[in-house]
Amino acid sequence: MRTDEGPLASSTFLALLGISLLALLLRVVSLGGRVMHWDEGRVGYWILRYQETGIHSYRPIVHGPFLPIVNDYLFAVIPASDFAARLPVAVVGGLLPLDAWLFRDYLDDDEVVALGALFALNPLLVYYSRFMRND
């Protein structure tokens, strides 16, 4: 039975926060430990060209503008690296378990937590959250 406590006091929400911290850790550990895949390298090249020239050619059939724009700001703060380029993707993927909270009106509390755990631990979601390719 659900009480009328605020979301920050809810044990379900706190469990989702903990799961999201675990998901962030899974995605950030050794994030720059491997060289870029050829597709990551292609997107990385476009990001560096955008950072250098300020010109971005949007090709919707290939990739959207999110990564070049976000990484342009990020590379102004920390040096460009494999880790830094993948960081925005890892953060978005690591926060994905919090999306389970949106289903709290349709699922029991245990099911909301299980959905958050699925978002955090699904091997495909973990892989694509550590791969700077699509946006």
Side-chain angles (χ1 to χ4, degrees):
M1 178 170 219
R2 187 163 279 140
T3 63
D4 288 338
E5 58 192 13
L8 296 179
S10 166
S11 60
T12 303
F13 187 75
L14 293 176
L16 285 177
L17 279 177
I19 290 169
S20 288
L21 289 175
L22 173 66
L24 283 167
L25 181 67
L26 283 173
R27 285 152 174 84
V28 171
V29 168
S30 192
L31 189 61
R34 60 179 170 78
V35 296
M36 286 193 166
H37 178 273
W38 69 270
D39 197 23
E40 286 181 301
R42 183 174 55 150
V43 175
Y45 173 75
W46 295 335
I47 291 168
L48 291 175
R49 283 190 45 94
Y50 174 67
Q51 185 183 25
E52 192 176 282
T53 66
I55 299 170
H56 175 68
S57 298
Y58 177 57
R59 294 177 286 251
I61 195 166
V62 182
H63 296 286
F66 177 75
L67 290 172
I69 292 169
V70 168
N71 280 332
D72 182 44
Y73 288 108
L74 185 62
F75 291 168
V77 177
I78 60 176
S81 66
D82 294 348
F83 175 86
R86 292 180 183 127
L87 187 60
V89 179
V91 169
V92 169
L95 295 177
L96 183 63
L98 292 176
D99 289 347
W101 184 250
L102 300 173
F103 295 95
R104 69 188 180 276
D105 291 335
Y106 307 102
L107 301 173
D108 293 336
D109 289 344
D110 293 341
E111 294 170 334
V112 170
V113 172
L115 181 61
L118 178 69
F119 289 160
L121 303 173
N122 181 299
L124 287 173
L125 295 176
V126 172
Y127 175 78
Y128 281 108
S129 295
R130 296 174 49 84
F131 193 84
M132 191 228 23
R133 183 177 163 206
N134 296 329
D135 54 351

